Structures are given as C-alpha cells and as structure tokens.
Amino acid sequence: MSKATSTRTGAPVPHVADSHDLIRVHGARVNNLKDVTVEIPKRRLTVFTGVSGSGKSSLVFGTIAADSQRLINETYSAFVQGFMPTLARPEVDVLEGLTTAIIVDQQRMGADPRSTVGTATDANAMLRILFSRLGQPHVGSPNAFSFNVPSVRATGAITVERGAGRTVRQTFTRTGGMCPRCEGRGAVSDIDLGQLFDDSKSIAEGAITIPGWKADSWWTVRIYAESGFLDPNKPIRDFTKKEMHDFLHREPTKVKVEGINLTYEGLVPKVQKSFLAKDREAMQPHIRAFVDRAVTFTTCPECDGTRLSAAARSSRIDGINIADACAMQISDLAKWVGELDQPSVAPLLATLRQTLDSFVEIGLGYLSLDRPSGTLSGGEAQRTKMIRHLGSSLTDVTYVFDEPTIGLHPHDIQRMNDLLLRLRDKGNTVLVVEHKPETIAIADHVVDLGPGAGTDGGTICFEGTVEGLRTSGTLTGRHLDDRAALKKTVRTPTGTLEIRGAATHNLRDVDVDIPLGMLVVVTGVAGSGKSSLVHGSIPARAGVVSIDQGAIRGSRRSNPATYTGLLDPIRKAFAKANGVKPALFSANSEGACPNCNGAGVVYTDLAMMAGITSVCDECEGKRFEASVLEYHLGGLDISEVLAMSVTEAEEFFGAGEARTPAAHAILTRLADVGLGYLSLGQPLTTLSGGERQRLKLATHMAEQGGVYVLDEPTTGLHLADVEHLLGLLDRLVDAGKSVIVVEHHQAVMAHADWIIDLGPGAGHDGGRIVFEGTPADLVAARSTLTGEHLAAYVGA
C-alpha cells in the first residue's frame, strides 16, 4: 500500500510539495509600504490596483521581484556575482514561496542609435545567419551582414613563441557589414560652423560661441590662442587656408602652453567628441539647445540610411537583400519568411518564423526590424520585451508586468488579456500592476493598495475577487464601473492649425485642420500614425508646448524641488531672510553635510555583496551641514521645508513671512496635477511611473504657449486620477489654450470637443484619417473601431 494513501478512506493524501501554493509577504516596508502582509496565490493571475503612488510597484517590483532576482544571483559564484548588479535585500520580515521572476517593465530600451527592434529581439541575428547561408552572391559570415561590425584588414609581422620562436608574416581580414561612411548609424551629421564661432571677431575677442567656452578659458579657448598655429588677434574670416584647416580640422597634436603640455585639436573634432558622442537627452537644456541649432542629421548618402555596406546589400535571397527585409513591415516579413522552403536551414527558419509571428500576435506587426529601439513608446518597448517569453517552455515561473496595456487601443487590450491568460494557463504565476478595468476584470485575485498615495498609502485595502472589489467600498472599487458621459455641448473653435501633406513614417499625404481653442483628441489603434501626425507634422513654432512620453531623468539626489526649479526661489528666499549666500541651502553645493556629501545616507560598498546604506550619523539624514540648519524662514529650517508636502508648502509660501510668489506658482501647478501629497525632498528614484508623468506635465505647464500637445497623459493614472486630469485639461482650454491629446482612454475621448481618428489599421494599413468630428457623431456613426468601442463604453 502506498504511503500517500489513507488506510481508512483510500483518498490520496496531498504531497507535501503541493502545499507551497502561496507567495507569502510579511512586514514589507519598502518605500511607503507600512508593514504590509499579503498572500498571493501561485499559478493564478493577480492584479495589483490602487492610485498612482499607493505602493503597487514597491510591493511587486521593489519587494517580490527584487528578492527573487537577488536570491537567484546568490546561487552564482562570487566571481560571477562581481559582474552582476548587486541587489540589496528588501526591507521585509518574511518572504516565502518565491519562484524565478521574469520582469517585463516599462523601462525604455536603450536610445543608442545602433540598437534597433531587430537587434533587441535577436531577429536580426537570425536574419544575418540566414543571408550568410542562402544569400547570392555569398559575401561572408553573419558578421558581413551586421551594421555594428566594421571591415578590418591588417598585415604585419608576428612572433610565434614556440620552440626557438620565429617571426612570420600574417595577413588578417574580417568582413563586416558596417557602412564606412556613417559607421552603421544610417545618418551623417553636418555641423553649422556659423553656430560655433563669429568669423568677424578674433579668438582673443571671444569669437568662439560654444556654451561654456569663455575667451579666457584654459582648456578651450586659450589653447587655440597660444598654440602657435593661429594668430589669436586676427578675425577668423581673414585666416589663411592653412590657418582655417588648423583651426577647424587639425588632428590631435601635442603643444606646450605656458610650460604645460596640452593636446591641440581642431574645433570640429573637438565638438564632435564633446557633444555628439553624448546622449542628447542627458544634456543640460542650454547644451541640448546648442546641439539642436549647430548639428543637422541627414540620411547617409552612401547606404541610403540602411546602415549596411554595399557588399552586404548586394547579397539577395529571391531578390530581397537584408536591408529590404529589415525595412519590411514585420507582418509582411513573416509572410516572406514563411514562404521560404530551404531544408538546409529548416531549424533556423522555424525559430525566425516563431519570433516574427509573436510580433504579429502581440500587436506589433506594424513595426519594422530597422526601427531604432529608442523611438518605441513605453508600451511598445514593454511588448517588444514580451516577444521572447511568448513561446517559452518555462513553467512555474513568476511573470511580473507593469501596466502592459499602456499605449494600447481598446481594440488591442483583449489580445493582451489573452496573452496574460495564456501565460497563466501554462502553470505560471502572473503578477500585473494595472489601472485599466478591462484587465482588472480578468484577474483571479485582486490586491488593492491605498487608500491614498505617498504617505497616505502603503496599506492593503482589499484582497479577493473582482466582484468583491466592486462591493468593497475602496476608491478602486467605487470607480471600477465609472463611465464618462458624452458632452452635451462642445466648444466653438477659435481658429485652425493646418497640416498639409503629412507623410512622416506611415502617414499617407494627410491633410487635416486641427481646431484651436478646443480639447482635441487624436486616437486610433497602436501604430496607426497618431504620434507621427502630432509630433512629426505639427510645426514646431513658438507657442507649441510638446509633452511626450520620454521618461524624466534624475538620480537619488534629484527630487521634485530640484526637477521643477522650485529649489531656486526657496534658496533665494532663505538667503535674503538670513543675509547669506543661496548656495548654502543646496545639499549638492556649499550647504552639504561633509560626512555624507549631502546624500543623507552613507553607502558602504561590499564588492559582490549588496552594499549597505545607513543614515548619516552627523546630519541624521537631513543632508545639510549643522550650521546651515540654524538659518530659518518663517520659523522653519531648509530641511524642514524639504520635508513638507506640496500642499503644506503651498500654504507656507503663499502668505506670511515666507511668502514667495515664484515658489507658490510652481507649487500650485504641482497641486493642480494631483501631486499635493508628494514631499518636496523625496528622491525621484522613488516616484512611480504615473507620478513622474504628472511631474513632467506640471513642469511643462510653466512654459508659455498657446498650444499644448500631450502624448498619453493618462499613463500610470488610476481611474480616480483620470477625472482630476480631465478637470486640469478643461481649465487649460477655458484659460484660452488649445490642447491636443494623443490618447486611447475612452474617458478622455468622451470628454473631447473634437476627435481625429486615424486608421483603419496599423502600419501600412493605417496612416489615414478615418473620422473627424465630435465624440457624439463618432458614437452615432460607429464607422471605425474607435467608434464601436466608445459607443460600448458610454452605453450608447
């Protein structure tokens, strides 16, 4: 008789291994979590809901997923761990039942110009092997089709140390696919010399106009003036041909200036190294503005933007070269690969077909493999990362998703839901942070965090089924069935913004008049051409303020006060009240605590083990030197002001001794976008995606403009926050602004004065205007996918 069978009833006794069916979290205190205890069922789809900033990501990503990754990393040897990111143990008492976590987050893919959709998903690697085996004429190994590999030739003598050792002559060649002109970037840059210097002046008179290059600057201008190659007192327009060449293009040359050995280099290569080699988005605003003025990027004339050498483009399969294949819409490429019948590469073709079919299945069939990965939206990047997991044979792993429906039209959300359910049905645990009611509805288990955001959140408000959530009385439960009504009356336009012959990306010579003085929503399925129309075709003239989906950058030293520019008027107010320098009131400048350098914490590096972070003993986490905290404004020191919430600070700087109009204006904008609960000194690294989106919106609202262009402003927003956003958009329009919104959220569509719908499909099936008019007319006509879904949403 089996030991696993009861002797009395014959019923099987559950195996002890089957009892581990829960992920148990006890006492989680990451970020704003307040001793959270929760049990999550394995092999089920669990959705985490709650307002933006309530602690969802802190629980799912910062606690569960982070500890799973940390434990897996610790299974490797200390040598291997030295090459891996070190992860600290989350602040939690007990974590049990964890499985391997695969994280699919919203982080944008690298913006390196060499990174494309094809390289990021390994589809390019498979295509390169395919062309190296089947392409005619044969041009070489897979490297010969890679735009990241240059061709190399070398000849010389080498010494082989074997026996007596002898010198032999060797020739080395490697055929790469990189276009030699643009070095695999697809574009070449031209520098407008008129932006670098004023040729009517001499170098001594300050002819060089590059930001930061002063006439007496040691490392820049002085080296040109005293190198001996140029006459520093002669106007640049009077330079001889040799002087002009030395000034602009001379190769690096050692020179001695006032007894110091320095390297002289022409102005053009110097600018290329100083500015063009850096990520544009990481530059300071005035440097970025200079680069935009001084540098123009044009398609490489040699490779026509394909990035590939002539040899790589000459090899073809059935008349198609690798550049043609990468430029195809992926749905068309999948069809072409499906028609290839070559038994010699059958396993490769099967894997490539599966990858390309996954693109189509996940709703990205409209992309092409040569699309730069930095141009993908947050939702597209997240779905691209999902590609490699769709056909995976792994089971019993934990998939963690961060709002996978971002950037998806209501028509596409059902397809995403099906993919999540498929992953669950294979025996995986699926954890999803989500706001969309369509995805919350398919959950097996719901965990609702709140009740508010920031310090008002961090607790579990509800655990259970979706039906239980509806009747729970929590903020999410109350708003789950909210439906915005169509406007009874719409605003009258005050003018029009004309777009003629728009042909960016997949747009097909689109002509459209966008009404001004109204709330205009541009919609359509993902890939239909919305962003191409709004960002690529609206003239970038004065008065247009464009707010895209780009992530805000900031280190742990950055906070809402520094990011929005709020700290400047606060520092000046403190300095004026106390008769000292403003720099004292910056934790990144003279006022910093000398022990922790203004970080508030001390980091101890433990090599391959997770570093230890401890609160600074001297400043007790306040970040400032003790003497600085003796200066007060309105009875408070600078650390107490930075610990205030936006709402408290708005009242503090609005009246009384501390009244500071410049600071009060910024705080009012932060409160307007629903960030009243944030503390001024909270590190940006602890903000959620929705909070970052609204912080960016509040900052751009300060720009003077008559037309605001917003790209999916509901990203990361709870159902309750969407109402707040609509109120803000209404206030902008009522103040005389024109607001153009690219959006999929039906509540925003219903609230619009005018809708422009693109489609009917994605990629080459889109790029046309399929509807223009009021939301009521769109619902009545139901002539487009958007019309059908909006009609269902409003119950028409």
Side-chain angles (χ1 to χ4, degrees):
M1 182 184 292
S2 169
K3 290 182 181 179
T5 306
S6 169
T7 53
R8 290 184 183 177
T9 62
V13 176
H15 195 287
V16 67
D18 295 330
S19 64
H20 300 284
D21 55 357
L22 293 171
I23 296 174
R24 294 183 178 86
V25 182
H26 291 275
R29 296 177 298 281
V30 174
N31 293 332
N32 68 331
L33 296 180
K34 298 172 181 173
D35 273 326
V36 164
T37 296
V38 64
E39 294 186 342
I40 302 162
K42 288 185 183 177
R43 293 174 285 281
R44 296 293 183 271
L45 173 59
T46 301
V47 173
F48 294 79
T49 63
V51 296
S52 176
S54 59
K56 304 182 298 297
S57 295
S58 298
L59 176 59
V60 178
F61 291 93
T63 305
I64 297 170
D67 208 43
S68 172
Q69 281 201 316
R70 180 185 68 85
L71 293 171
I72 289 169
N73 287 1
E74 286 184 358
T75 63
Y76 297 106
S77 67
F79 173 76
V80 174
Q81 286 183 56
F83 296 96
M84 303 174 80
T86 53
L87 301 164
R89 186 180 187 279
E91 281 192 74
V92 61
D93 295 333
V94 179
L95 261 177
E96 294 179 340
L98 294 178
T99 66
T100 303
I102 294 175
I103 300 171
V104 187
D105 58 19
Q106 289 180 44
Q107 290 294 322
R108 292 297 184 94
M109 291 186 167
D112 189 288
R114 298 184 186 281
S115 175
T116 65
V117 169
T119 60
T121 57
D122 294 338
N124 260 41
M126 290 182 271
L127 268 181
R128 292 199 299 267
I129 298 170
L130 183 68
F131 274 87
S132 71
R133 300 294 183 270
L134 303 181
Q136 292 298 326
H138 177 74
V139 295
S141 70
N143 279 340
F145 297 92
S146 172
F147 53 74
N148 287 326
V149 179
S151 293
V152 177
R153 285 185 295 278
T155 303
I158 64 169
T159 301
V160 182
E161 293 189 0
R162 190 172 57 204
R166 60 195 184 91
T167 301
V168 294
R169 191 158 187 82
Q170 288 278 0
T171 299
F172 169 77
T173 61
R174 181 187 68 195
T175 304
M178 178 187 286
C179 168
R181 171 75 189 275
C182 64
E183 297 185 358
R185 293 172 183 267
V188 289
S189 58
D190 289 321
I191 295 178
D192 180 358
L193 298 179
Q195 298 292 338
L196 304 186
F197 56 84
D198 179 353
D199 66 358
S200 66
K201 295 181 179 178
S202 67
I203 291 174
E205 292 171 333
I208 298 178
T209 56
I210 299 168
W213 290 38
K214 298 175 183 174
D216 59 349
S217 170
W218 244 107
W219 298 103
T220 52
V221 181
R222 288 279 295 279
I223 196 170
Y224 286 94
E226 302 181 28
S227 64
F229 299 124
L230 319 165
D231 181 349
N233 298 307
K234 184 195 291 187
I236 291 176
R237 64 172 57 152
D238 297 335
F239 278 4
T240 64
K241 191 172 182 180
K242 182 178 184 308
E243 282 179 320
M244 188 61 85
H245 176 268
D246 287 341
F247 177 53
L248 294 178
H249 303 292
R250 189 178 182 93
E251 294 290 316
T253 308
K254 292 289 183 186
V255 295
K256 188 167 280 192
V257 177
E258 295 185 12
I260 300 172
N261 289 321
L262 299 172
T263 301
Y264 176 93
E265 190 172 18
L267 193 64
V268 170
K270 188 96 171 171
V271 167
Q272 286 174 330
K273 289 177 184 175
S274 302
F275 299 109
L276 301 191
K278 295 178 181 175
D279 179 8
R280 177 187 172 279
E281 293 303 318
M283 295 175 180
Q284 292 175 288
H286 70 288
I287 300 292
R288 190 186 313 154
F290 163 72
V291 170
D292 290 342
R293 287 196 316 270
V295 184
T296 56
F297 292 93
T298 54
T299 302
C300 174
E302 237 172 76
C303 66
D304 200 24
T306 62
R307 308 159 178 256
L308 292 159
S309 65
R313 302 195 308 274
S314 70
S315 183
R316 298 175 181 270
I317 301 174
D318 294 344
I320 301 288
N321 66 25
I322 192 167
D324 299 331
C326 290
M328 281 185 191
Q329 187 166 302
I330 288 174
S331 55
D332 296 337
L333 179 61
K335 186 179 176 184
W336 178 73
V337 170
E339 291 170 352
L340 293 177
D341 183 18
Q342 296 287 342
S344 62
V345 289
L348 176 68
L349 285 173
T351 307
L352 181 55
R353 283 179 197 133
Q354 182 184 355
T355 300
L356 297 175
D357 288 342
S358 294
F359 270 103
V360 177
E361 184 181 3
I362 209 166
L364 294 177
Y366 61 87
L367 296 178
S368 59
L369 294 183
D370 63 2
R371 170 90 172 258
S373 56
T375 65
L376 299 180
S377 69
E380 287 171 334
Q382 185 166 213
R383 296 202 298 281
T384 299
K385 293 175 193 172
M386 286 179 70
I387 298 293
R388 62 179 69 248
H389 305 305
L390 293 186
S392 172
S393 301
L394 288 173
T395 60
D396 253 333
V397 298
T398 300
Y399 285 95
V400 187
F401 293 98
D402 192 2
E403 294 186 58
T405 59
I406 281 180
L408 285 184
H409 187 272
H411 173 70
D412 299 315
I413 290 177
Q414 184 56 50
R415 183 186 285 171
M416 176 59 69
N417 285 349
D418 291 341
L419 292 171
L420 296 175
L421 292 172
R422 248 178 55 196
L423 287 172
R424 177 205 65 186
D425 293 345
K426 283 167 62 176
N428 298 305
T429 305
V430 182
L431 309 181
V432 183
V433 173
E434 190 53 84
H435 293 293
K436 292 279 175 66
E438 297 96 326
T439 301
I440 296 172
I442 65 166
D444 301 308
H445 189 72
V446 178
V447 178
D448 189 26
L449 284 96
T455 54
D456 297 329
T459 60
I460 303 292
C461 298
F462 173 81
E463 281 185 83
T465 63
V466 179
E467 287 308 313
L469 178 65
R470 279 197 169 89
T471 58
S472 65
T474 67
L475 191 64
T476 306
R478 292 198 306 273
H479 287 274
L480 196 57
D481 294 316
D482 278 2
R483 296 293 181 265
L486 292 173
K487 281 185 174 177
K488 290 186 172 60
T489 58
V490 295
R491 297 178 178 91
T492 304
T494 57
T496 56
L497 185 64
E498 293 185 359
I499 294 177
R500 295 290 178 265
T504 308
H505 298 315
N506 66 329
L507 294 178
R508 303 188 176 192
D509 283 327
V510 169
D511 295 337
V512 63
D513 292 334
I514 300 177
L516 299 176
M518 303 174 80
L519 175 57
V520 178
V521 172
V522 180
T523 187
V525 297
S528 59
K530 303 180 299 299
S531 294
S532 299
L533 178 68
V534 171
H535 294 300
S537 306
I538 290 181
R541 56 187 173 86
V544 176
V545 178
S546 183
I547 307 170
D548 60 19
Q549 290 185 43
I552 67 174
R553 294 173 177 272
S555 67
R556 56 180 171 240
R557 286 182 174 272
S558 303
N559 52 50
T562 58
Y563 181 78
T564 59
L566 173 64
L567 194 58
D568 288 337
I570 291 178
R571 287 165 49 201
K572 288 173 183 172
F574 265 93
K576 186 177 179 182
N578 295 280
V580 292
K581 291 192 298 184
L584 284 175
F585 303 100
S586 170
N588 296 326
S589 186
E590 291 182 30
C593 166
N595 187 48
C596 63
N597 293 321
V601 289
V602 176
Y603 298 93
T604 307
D605 185 10
L606 298 178
M608 78 286 180
M609 298 178 71
I612 297 296
T613 303
S614 54
V615 176
C616 174
D617 292 333
E618 285 198 22
C619 67
E620 296 177 345
K622 293 180 179 179
R623 304 176 63 196
F624 291 91
E625 200 173 355
S627 60
V628 174
L629 301 181
E630 293 174 6
Y631 300 115
H632 291 80
L633 176 68
L636 299 178
D637 65 42
I638 184 69
S639 69
E640 290 170 327
V641 168
L642 291 177
M644 281 181 167
S645 70
V646 167
T647 306
E648 293 167 343
E650 187 182 10
E651 185 179 338
F652 179 72
F653 288 107
E657 182 194 340
R659 184 175 178 274
T660 310
H664 187 261
I666 296 172
L667 290 162
T668 302
R669 288 195 294 272
L670 287 170
D672 280 346
V673 297
L675 293 177
Y677 59 88
L678 277 189
S679 65
L680 304 187
Q682 183 176 339
L684 285 190
T685 50
T686 65
L687 299 189
S688 69
E691 287 169 333
R692 287 168 175 247
Q693 182 87 342
R694 283 181 286 167
L695 186 63
K696 186 175 181 179
L697 178 60
T699 307
H700 282 285
M701 278 171 58
E703 298 176 28
Q704 295 302 311
V707 180
Y708 283 80
V709 179
L710 285 72
D711 197 347
E712 296 192 47
T714 61
T715 297
L717 293 191
H718 186 265
L719 298 160
D721 295 325
V722 173
E723 281 183 29
H724 200 103
L725 176 72
L726 293 176
L728 173 65
L729 297 180
D730 273 342
R731 288 200 298 278
L732 282 173
V733 178
D734 292 339
K737 310 291 187 186
S738 301
V739 179
I740 302 167
V741 183
V742 175
E743 191 52 82
H744 293 293
H745 203 295
Q746 295 102 315
V748 182
M749 295 181 206
H751 200 74
D753 297 308
W754 193 260
I755 285 186
I756 298 172
D757 194 16
L758 280 93
H764 57 48
D765 296 325
R768 293 188 288 267
I769 303 288
V770 291
F771 176 83
E772 290 179 79
T774 64
D777 291 341
L778 178 61
V779 167
R782 301 192 190 202
S783 56
T784 68
L785 284 171
T786 305
E788 291 174 17
H789 284 276
L790 186 57
Y793 175 82
V794 299

